[in-house]
Amino acid sequence: LYLLFLVQVHGQGGVKFQNWAKTYGSSPELYFQPTSVEEIREILAMARQRDKRVKVVGGGHSPSDIACTDDFMIQMGKMNRVLKVDKEKQQVTVEGGILLLDLNVELSKHGLALANLGAVSEVTAAGVIGTGTHNTGIEHGILPTQVVALTLLTASGEILECSQFVNADIFQAARLHLGCLGVVLTVTFQCVPQFHLHEVAFPSTLTEVLDHLDDHLKRSQYFRFLWFPHSENVSVIYQDPTSKAVPHDHHLPLLALQPPCSSASWLWDYAVGYYLLEFLLWISTFVPSLVHWINRFFFWLLFSSRVENVAISYKIFNYECRFKQHVQDWAIPIEKTKEALLELKAALENNPKMVAHYPVEVRFARGDVIWLSPCFQRDSCYVNIIMYRPYGKNVPRLNYWLTYEGIMKKHGGRPHWAKAHSCTRKDFEKMYPAFPKFCSVREKLDPTGMFLNTYLEKVFY
C-alpha cells in the first residue's frame, strides 16, 4: 500500500522523453518531478526495492543518449531555488535543478555573474557540470571549474558534502559526474562582479587565423572563430569585458549571436538566416554539392561585414541554436589546432562527396585538474562540427563524422561528454590518466549501477 501511495503521488507513466534536438529519446517506466530531498530518497528506495535504474535529467539539451532510460527518470525542474548568495566571497549556492537562464537573472540582481557560460542557458546547474559544458577563453576553464562545492545524494540515500576540503576525491569526480555518482542536490559556484561584454565579429581566412593564433588568443579574452567548410572563410569573434554603455541599434547575424530585437533584424535573421537556410539545406539533401555553395553564400550574406554589440555578459555568451542538429565536439591539445583543422580541410577537399555544414566552431579552454574533464592537465582547443536536420530530415553524415573522429583521435582528442561519439572504455582509459580513479569512486558510491544506462555502460564496461 505504501508503495502504491508513493507511485500515485510521484511517478507518472507513459511519459516520452526526448532531447532538445529530437535525436534521442526513451520511454521511462515512471517519470518523477520531486520537490524535496525526501521525495528523491523515496524514489531511490523504491528503485532499490524493485531493482530499477534511475536517470536524473535537467534541461535535456545533450545531443546524445546520456540522459535516456527505460526505468525511472527524475526530472529536477522543481528543485530550482537559489539557496544562498555570499556577497563577500562572491559565491552562490543553488539547487541542482535551477536553469542557468534563471540563475543569470538572479545573480544580476546581486551585482554578480558567472565568469563564463555555454551557448545555451535552458540547462540546469547540475546538468551543465555533469557533462563538462564549456565556452571559450584561454584564461577560463570549462564550466565545472567554477564549482567550489556541491552536495550529492548517493544510491544508498546518504548525503555527501563535497569540496576541495571535504571528500576531496569525490569532489574532483563529481565536478564532472556524468550523472553516474548520485543525485546532485546543490551546487556552489564561484562568481565574479557583474560585467558587460563588447563583442566584435569580423571576416578573415582560415590561413590567417591559424598562422596568427597566438595573437588572437592574446588579443581577446573570449576569442573563438567560425570556419565555413569547403572554403577559406572564417568569422572571428572577440568578446571582451567593457565599461561602454549598451547601444540599441546593433543587431547581429544568424547563428552568430544575439536574438534579434527589431522587426527589420527579425526579417533578416529569420526570413533569410533561418527559413531560407533551412530550405536550401533541405534541397541540398538531394544535391549534396550545393552545400559548398550554401556555405559560401551565407558567409557572404551574413558574416562578411564587421558587426559590434554590447550587452550584459550572459546575453552575449548565449545565442540561439535555432536548428535541430547532430553535433560532435572534441577537445585537442591547443598546440594541435592548426594541424588538425588543416587536415579536416584537406579531407573535405579530397572527398568531393563528403559535405560539411557551416560553421565549424573553434573555441579554447584552460587546462584543469577535474578527472574526466576533456581539458584535464592541458590547455585545449575544442573543434565543434555540426550537421543540421532541415525539417527534421537526417542528412548523411557518417563519412564526415568518422573522418573527423579519426583526426581528433590522432591528435590526442577527447570527446565532449554530452555529445554523440563512438568511444568506449578502452579509449577513455587511454585518454584520461585519472579514469581508474573515477571508476573506483563510482563503484564505491553506486556498487549496483543504479545510475547507469546504455550510454554509460559503453563508458565503463
Side-chain angles (χ1 to χ4, degrees), residues 203-228:
S204 184
T205 64
L206 189 61
T207 309
E208 186 282 324
V209 173
L210 294 178
D211 286 350
H212 302 100
L213 197 57
D214 285 349
D215 296 344
H216 287 288
L217 284 162
K218 285 190 191 97
R219 213 170 286 163
S220 171
Q221 196 178 136
Y222 302 96
F223 154 67
R224 65 189 163 107
F225 67 92
L226 312 176
W227 168 51
F228 290 65

Side-chain angles (χ1 to χ4, degrees), residues 210-327:
L210 294 178
D211 286 350
H212 302 100
L213 197 57
D214 285 349
D215 296 344
H216 287 288
L217 284 162
K218 285 190 191 97
R219 213 170 286 163
S220 171
Q221 196 178 136
Y222 302 96
F223 154 67
R224 65 189 163 107
F225 67 92
L226 312 176
W227 168 51
F228 290 65
H230 309 296
S231 77
E232 261 284 306
N233 296 332
V234 161
S235 174
V236 173
I237 297 156
Y238 285 174
Q239 296 171 337
D240 290 285
T242 181
S243 49
K244 282 187 195 173
V246 184
H248 293 291
D249 53 350
H250 287 302
H251 84 277
L252 288 159
L254 164 88
L255 295 180
L257 313 164
Q258 281 252 136
C261 38
S262 71
S263 55
S265 83
W266 182 90
L267 181 82
W268 191 247
D269 269 11
Y270 271 91
V272 175
Y274 185 83
Y275 297 113
L276 178 63
L277 178 60
E278 185 163 38
F279 177 65
L280 290 175
L281 287 173
W282 179 75
I283 290 189
S284 78
T285 60
F286 307 100
V287 191
S289 58
L290 271 181
V291 170
H292 300 213
W293 176 82
I294 292 169
N295 287 1
R296 288 190 168 93
F297 173 63
F298 273 87
F299 178 79
W300 169 78
L301 194 67
L302 295 174
F303 296 87
S304 58
S305 56
R306 180 188 164 96
V307 264
E308 288 189 55
N309 197 17
V310 176
I312 195 157
S313 59
Y314 64 84
K315 290 190 175 167
I316 295 278
F317 285 140
N318 289 168
Y319 50 92
E320 274 189 83
C321 300
R322 292 176 183 160
F323 285 104
K324 303 303 182 208
Q325 52 197 233
H326 287 288
V327 195

Side-chain angles (χ1 to χ4, degrees), residues 42-52 54 72 450:
E42 284 174 6
I43 297 163
L44 297 187
M46 190 158 103
R48 280 196 304 275
Q49 234 161 0
R50 295 195 188 180
D51 200 20
K52 295 290 178 190
V54 176
F72 290 0
M450 178 191 279

Side-chain angles (χ1 to χ4, degrees), residues 336-410:
K336 302 283 191 184
T337 306
K338 180 175 179 174
E339 214 179 322
L341 280 166
L342 291 178
E343 238 173 275
L344 187 60
K345 184 172 191 257
L348 289 168
E349 281 162 10
N350 298 334
N351 300 299
K353 287 209 164 106
M354 189 157 66
V355 298
H357 291 164
Y358 83 82
V360 170
E361 186 176 20
V362 184
R363 291 172 285 180
F364 304 89
R366 198 186 63 218
D368 59 52
V369 293
I370 299 169
W371 291 350
L372 290 191
S373 165
C375 303
F376 182 72
Q377 293 182 340
R378 67 186 197 202
D379 290 352
S380 301
C381 163
Y382 278 91
V383 179
N384 183 80
I385 66 166
I386 204 164
M387 286 299 268
Y388 298 119
R389 300 173 56 229
Y391 311 120
K393 183 175 179 179
N394 274 329
V395 178
R397 64 179 197 285
L398 198 62
N399 272 351
Y400 179 32
W401 246 227
L402 294 175
T403 303
Y404 161 87
E405 275 201 349
I407 294 168
M408 294 293 112
K409 269 188 184 164
K410 177 182 153 188

Side-chain angles (χ1 to χ4, degrees), residues 1-11 32 42-43 46:
L1 188 75
Y2 173 63
L3 265 184
L4 251 175
F5 168 71
L6 259 183
V7 176
Q8 279 171 344
V9 177
H10 303 302
F32 299 88
E42 284 174 6
I43 297 163
M46 190 158 103

